[in-house]
Amino acid sequence: MSFSQFLTIALLAMLPITEIQGAIPFFLATRPDLPALFILISAVTGAMVPPALLLKLLPIVTNRLHDYLHFKPESRLRFVQQTMDWFYHRIHQKHSKAFERFGALALILITGIPLALPGSGVWTGSVLAFLFQIPYQRALLFMFLGTLFSGMILTGLWNTLF
């Protein structure tokens, strides 16, 4: 158990495609010499880096882009704004019922149910927290709980089945 192993697991868990749902089974399968708890902790730590950054950067980037396009409507970045608007509208439409029903607790469900909901995870949770204006610390806490829950389910299932 070295720092480079920790970092490798964490980096795979940071990626939007694999996230924790891919990192834990991959390392449990390919590195049976590593303790499952080490893999779990490494993956959860790595998975929490993107939301910590995204929740701070999304408001800044979207505000700057909006301001820039407001003063330069002929800009080629108009396509980026239209794509973002479409993406945000689609995600808002897809998850608004969950947030109406559960509020910010929906973040635990969205990040905590591994492989049950396509497109679920901390990247989607970060965008949802931004769209539904959930305060930074509360969003991080709920996504952490969901990610930890997801990691424990995956680790437990792997150890039970294999």
Side-chain angles (χ1 to χ4, degrees):
M1 297 187 308
S2 68
F3 182 71
S4 65
Q5 292 169 329
F6 177 89
L7 196 57
T8 304
I9 297 166
L11 286 172
L12 188 60
M14 285 182 206
L15 298 175
I17 302 294
T18 55
E19 289 194 19
I20 197 168
Q21 294 93 337
I24 288 177
F26 176 77
F27 283 100
L28 287 173
T30 60
R31 297 298 310 266
D33 57 313
L34 291 176
L37 184 60
F38 176 75
I39 294 172
L40 174 66
I41 292 169
S42 303
V44 169
T45 303
M48 289 310 297
V49 171
L53 296 174
L54 284 171
L55 289 173
K56 289 290 187 185
L57 293 176
L58 277 173
I60 295 167
V61 170
T62 55
N63 288 339
R64 294 230 174 129
L65 183 61
H66 177 72
D67 291 347
Y68 177 79
L69 292 174
H70 180 70
F71 292 110
K72 295 193 176 207
E74 71 283 349
S75 171
R76 292 181 190 170
L77 292 177
R78 174 72 66 201
F79 173 73
V80 174
Q81 179 68 42
Q82 290 170 343
T83 303
M84 285 175 47
D85 289 345
W86 171 82
F87 179 70
Y88 288 156
H89 176 73
R90 182 171 179 257
I91 286 185
H92 197 280
Q93 191 175 35
K94 189 175 181 180
H95 296 285
S96 61
K97 287 183 183 178
F99 277 86
E100 286 174 16
R101 189 172 203 177
F102 300 109
L105 290 173
L107 285 175
I108 294 174
L109 297 174
I110 289 165
T111 58
I113 302 174
L115 305 175
L117 300 170
S120 65
V122 292
W123 287 79
T124 303
S126 299
V127 172
L128 289 170
F130 168 70
L131 285 176
F132 290 100
Q133 300 176 347
I134 298 170
Y136 179 80
Q137 291 180 340
R138 188 172 182 178
L140 271 184
L141 173 65
F142 288 151
M143 282 191 279
F144 170 75
L145 292 173
T147 302
L148 183 62
F149 180 66
S150 175
M152 290 182 345
I153 290 173
L154 288 167
T155 305
L157 280 174
W158 185 268
N159 287 335
T160 303
L161 297 174
F162 301 101

